[in-house]
Amino acid sequence: MEANREKYAADISSIKEAHERIKPYIHRTPVLTSESLNLMSGRSLFFKCEFFQKGGAFKFRGACNAVLSLDPEQAAKGVVTHSSGNHAAALSLAAKLQGIPAYIVVPKGAPKCKVDNVIRYGGKVIWSESTMSSRETVAAKVLQETGSVLIHPYNDGRIISGQGTIALELLEQIQEIDAIVVPISGGGLISGVALAAKSIKPSIRIIAAEPKGADDAAKSKVAGKIITLPLTNTIADGLRASLGDLTWPVVRDLVDDVITLEDCEIIEAMRMCYEILKVSVEPSGAIGLAAVLSNSFRNNPSWRDCKNIGIVLSGGNVDLGSLWDSFKSSK
Amino acid sequence: MEANREKYAADISSIKEAHERIKPYIHRTPVLTSESLNLMSGRSLFFKCEFFQKGGAFKFRGACNAVLSLDPEQAAKGVVTHSSGNHAAALSLAAKLQGIPAYIVVPKGAPKCKVDNVIRYGGKVIWSESTMSSRETVAAKVLQETGSVLIHPYNDGRIISGQGTIALELLEQIQEIDAIVVPISGGGLISGVALAAKSIKPSIRIIAAEPKGADDAAKSKVAGKIITLPLTNTIADGLRASLGDLTWPVVRDLVDDVITLEDCEIIEAMRMCYEILKVSVEPSGAIGLAAVLSNSFRNNPSWRDCKNIGIVLSGGNVDLGSLWDSFKSSK
């Protein structure tokens, strides 16, 4: 695995370096357990609480690592990204801590609470249309005008390394974990987690959880190449991105399975997070719980020996209004 | 303070004994902090997360201590209580762990999720009218028929001692705390916390947080005797009870102030718990945060030197439906 840096955009060394770099700034998030959810799932579940991370999502780990990796001259001109929310807020916060500007291209329709976070952390919001091409065009323009550096939400080794620090912590906190379930969108989170976890514990299984309405990773794994979807349709606003050329090789090689979930399963898992775990998790954050409770996971003999399962509850930025609307509509 | 047992129904020794007794069964709940809420309040706030306690509220501490204090012959006939919810569920759970029956007199109108918890934990539900006299009459009838033991929700030394274990833990977790803000209803929680905290750290201030629509403790402190209200009106369904003859002396002597809050302030604090702390807290549980953010607390020179404030987030059992209705109605 030490040779992974040749194959992939990150490896256990870059992840450990990232951890040293960002440790003073991030929260070492706690791990929660619930007897009720253990009974329901028939396993021991260990919830890694990234919704407690600064900015309300794991994204601060990667953003912080990226910003701290810049050379000072480069950094002074600022950073730019396009994002539906959590990466944008995280990058704004990381930039603020370093005293440099963050230019955030936000697609129309991004959740209000996430845009509010960007503004609260001092990010400069520049609106684009919601398509990826509009986001990229606007971002390119900002780059040119400001001389700032693009920090991609996931297709970047510094970001992947930062997100991988979750696995370092989780395996320190709970040594007996034999599988980790991770939401998948662009693949930055799961790539980092897979590279770190399989380096530390080669037998560990890495399982992706993906909305059926944005199942490009599942389709890509079947096809053996990156498949992008013409459109996505899911309540999980953080899971609509497509795999990148730096995350795909890791997903291809190190992710053992992709479980796809209906929106109603995601919403039910989110409700359980509120009512049983007593924590506020956004739809994208709750999808890992939905996965372990799904029939396709429970009935799959491959996972029968996975007794101790880590679940990354990746974020907790949710508008209470839209949350309640989704509960009502799912009934 | 060691002589408190002569004056009060509990003291530091009974609280430490309770802690030894219940430790194997309870969660040592974590303490959360938030830079945003520190900024907003101008203090360092330390949130003791009793909504993570078994049964979703601090009540399990007292109920567990009471059940474990019974002699086996007495215990075999079971326990009975009347309660709007969290004590009922907690007693059911404590009884279940000991394999004895729990008879729960539940007033009509109790929150559904709390009644569901009673049933989930195996308590036998017996309905009464919502008045205290109807609750007591029905409970007396059950006592007579079953030979079981009444475990009062708060007016009981074993309960007060159990709830006091929160302060033991909190002051171990954060030594520098100089005030603790505690919701007040019947006074069991705040009595235990005050007795423990002031014994360990005599300079500590104990501040009660009470809904304006159920302000019997505030009125009692002013009158110097127990005042009961003919009726109460507050969204905080767990804070409608009146002080008892065992809790009143502690509240009279050891509680430094009572801060009363409007329902809209409680709801706003609950929203902050969801959106900033990312935790699911019921109205009664969030009132302590409302208190430290209130003008009557901020502008009171007595509390100016309280820099490090513990806040007991006492419970997290909330129907998401009623939660959302209350958010809408408060706008």
Side-chain angles (χ1 to χ4, degrees):
Chain A
M1 290 291 289
E2 294 301 331
N4 273 345
R5 196 63 172 277
E6 291 161 29
K7 282 169 74 181
Y8 308 120
D11 64 7
I12 187 69
S13 308
S14 69
I15 295 166
K16 285 183 173 168
E17 283 161 27
H19 208 205
E20 288 311 309
R21 197 175 286 128
I22 68 180
K23 245 183 200 166
Y25 305 96
I26 62 167
H27 290 312
R28 183 179 170 94
T29 55
V31 174
L32 287 179
T33 60
S34 157
E35 284 177 24
S36 303
L37 293 175
N38 287 352
L39 269 175
M40 242 180 257
S41 65
R43 329 262 175 159
S44 294
L45 306 180
F46 299 91
F47 296 95
K48 180 69 172 162
C49 297
E50 285 297 301
F51 54 87
F52 281 142
Q53 191 49 265
K54 285 195 184 159
F58 72 95
K59 292 283 191 179
F60 182 63
R61 294 175 185 264
C64 195
N65 187 49
V67 166
L68 293 172
S69 302
L70 297 172
D71 76 54
E73 200 182 331
Q74 212 179 10
K77 292 182 177 163
V79 287
V80 61
T81 198
H82 49 87
S83 160
S84 70
N86 282 330
H87 172 67
L91 190 65
S92 302
L93 182 56
K96 186 184 175 187
L97 293 175
Q98 292 302 103
I100 63 172
Y103 305 97
I104 310 294
V105 178
V106 178
K108 284 176 188 164
K112 186 179 173 301
C113 66
K114 295 186 179 178
V115 182
D116 287 348
N117 279 346
V118 168
I119 294 165
R120 181 181 324 140
Y121 298 139
K124 299 172 200 307
V125 172
I126 301 133
W127 293 96
S128 79
E129 297 304 316
S130 65
T131 59
M132 191 52 76
S133 68
S134 168
R135 295 189 196 190
E136 286 171 355
T137 310
V138 176
K141 196 161 160 273
V142 175
L143 275 178
Q144 204 176 21
E145 287 171 4
T146 59
S148 53
V149 187
L150 179 73
I151 308 287
H152 192 277
Y154 51 88
N155 206 40
D156 181 315
R158 299 162 297 186
I159 296 291
I160 296 170
S161 298
Q163 324 302 31
T165 61
I166 292 171
L168 298 185
E169 290 179 17
L170 180 58
L171 290 174
E172 274 173 27
Q173 290 164 311
I174 315 288
Q175 288 82 21
E176 61 266 40
I177 281 178
D178 38 37
I180 309 180
V181 182
V182 188
I184 193 164
S185 180
L189 171 60
I190 202 167
S191 294
V193 167
L195 286 163
K198 292 207 169 180
S199 169
I200 295 167
K201 192 171 183 173
S203 67
I204 212 165
R205 323 296 276 271
I206 303 294
I207 298 164
E210 186 173 52
K212 282 219 165 89
D215 63 345
D216 63 298
K219 288 202 165 77
S220 300
K221 288 281 278 184
V222 171
K225 61 177 185 180
I226 299 185
I227 302 285
T228 53
L229 304 173
L231 48 83
T232 59
N233 178 20
T234 172
I235 190 181
D237 60 273
L239 301 181
R240 293 176 189 149
S242 308
L243 294 170
D245 63 339
L246 298 181
T247 55
W248 162 242
V250 188
V251 172
R252 180 192 62 206
D253 299 346
L254 302 182
V255 170
D256 295 284
D257 199 5
V258 182
I259 295 174
T260 57
L261 286 311
E262 299 285 358
D263 273 9
C264 62
E265 296 173 286
I266 298 173
I267 291 168
E268 184 54 25
M270 191 166 58
R271 180 197 295 276
M272 289 180 189
C273 288
Y274 277 80
E275 294 192 345
I276 301 177
L277 283 181
K278 313 293 183 194
V279 295
S280 174
V281 174
E282 60 185 279
S284 311
I287 194 171
L289 174 58
V292 301
L293 295 174
S294 70
N295 286 332
S296 53
F297 181 79
R298 300 165 75 106
N299 300 335
N300 188 330
S302 306
W303 315 128
R304 203 168 287 152
D305 58 334
C306 294
K307 297 292 179 210
N308 301 301
I309 301 182
I311 296 178
V312 181
L313 297 180
S314 54
N317 294 320
V318 61
D319 282 329
L320 277 169
S322 17
L323 168 71
W324 181 241
D325 288 344
S326 63
F327 281 140
K328 273 187 308 189
S329 66
S330 75
K331 277 197 173 167
Chain B
M1 290 292 291
E2 292 301 332
N4 273 346
R5 195 63 172 276
E6 291 161 29
K7 283 169 73 181
Y8 307 119
D11 65 6
I12 187 70
S13 307
S14 69
I15 294 166
K16 284 184 174 169
E17 282 160 29
H19 209 205
E20 288 310 309
R21 199 175 283 126
I22 68 179
K23 244 183 201 168
Y25 305 98
I26 62 167
H27 290 312
R28 183 180 172 93
T29 54
V31 174
L32 287 180
T33 60
S34 157
E35 283 176 25
S36 303
L37 293 174
N38 286 352
L39 269 176
M40 244 181 256
S41 66
R43 329 263 175 159
S44 293
L45 306 180
F46 299 92
F47 296 95
K48 180 68 173 162
C49 297
E50 285 298 300
F51 55 86
F52 281 143
Q53 192 48 266
K54 285 195 184 160
F58 72 95
K59 292 281 191 180
F60 183 64
R61 295 176 184 263
C64 194
N65 187 48
V67 166
L68 292 172
S69 301
L70 297 173
D71 76 52
E73 201 182 329
Q74 214 180 9
K77 292 182 177 163
V79 287
V80 61
T81 199
H82 49 87
S83 160
S84 71
N86 282 332
H87 172 67
L91 190 65
S92 303
L93 182 55
K96 187 184 176 188
L97 293 175
Q98 292 302 102
I100 63 171
Y103 306 98
I104 310 295
V105 179
V106 177
K108 286 178 188 163
K112 188 180 172 300
C113 66
K114 295 187 179 178
V115 182
D116 287 348
N117 279 347
V118 169
I119 294 165
R120 182 184 322 144
Y121 299 140
K124 297 171 203 304
V125 172
I126 301 133
W127 291 96
S128 78
E129 298 304 316
S130 65
T131 60
M132 191 50 78
S133 69
S134 168
R135 297 189 196 190
E136 285 172 355
T137 310
V138 175
K141 196 160 161 274
V142 175
L143 275 178
Q144 204 178 20
E145 287 172 4
T146 59
S148 52
V149 187
L150 180 72
I151 308 287
H152 192 279
Y154 52 87
N155 205 40
D156 181 314
R158 299 163 297 188
I159 296 291
I160 295 171
S161 299
Q163 323 304 31
T165 61
I166 292 170
L168 298 185
E169 290 178 16
L170 180 58
L171 290 174
E172 276 172 26
Q173 290 164 310
I174 314 288
Q175 288 82 21
E176 60 266 39
I177 280 178
D178 38 35
I180 308 180
V181 182
V182 188
I184 193 164
S185 180
L189 171 60
I190 201 167
S191 294
V193 168
L195 286 163
K198 292 208 170 180
S199 169
I200 296 167
K201 192 171 184 175
S203 67
I204 212 165
R205 323 298 276 271
I206 303 294
I207 298 165
E210 187 173 50
K212 281 218 166 92
D215 62 347
D216 64 297
K219 289 202 164 76
S220 300
K221 289 280 278 184
V222 171
K225 62 177 185 183
I226 299 185
I227 303 287
T228 53
L229 304 173
L231 48 84
T232 58
N233 178 20
T234 172
I235 191 182
D237 60 272
L239 301 181
R240 292 175 190 151
S242 308
L243 294 170
D245 62 339
L246 298 181
T247 54
W248 161 243
V250 189
V251 172
R252 181 192 60 206
D253 300 346
L254 302 183
V255 170
D256 295 285
D257 198 5
V258 183
I259 294 173
T260 58
L261 287 309
E262 300 285 359
D263 274 10
C264 62
E265 294 174 288
I266 299 173
I267 292 168
E268 185 53 25
M270 191 165 59
R271 181 198 294 275
M272 289 179 189
C273 288
Y274 277 80
E275 294 190 344
I276 300 177
L277 283 181
K278 313 293 181 194
V279 295
S280 173
V281 173
E282 62 186 279
S284 312
I287 194 172
L289 174 58
V292 301
L293 295 174
S294 69
N295 285 332
S296 53
F297 181 80
R298 300 164 76 105
N299 299 336
N300 188 330
S302 307
W303 315 129
R304 203 166 289 151
D305 57 335
C306 294
K307 297 292 180 210
N308 301 300
I309 301 183
I311 296 177
V312 180
L313 296 180
S314 54
N317 294 318
V318 62
D319 283 329
L320 277 170
S322 16
L323 169 71
W324 181 240
D325 288 345
S326 64
F327 282 140
K328 271 187 309 189
S329 66
S330 75
K331 278 196 175 170

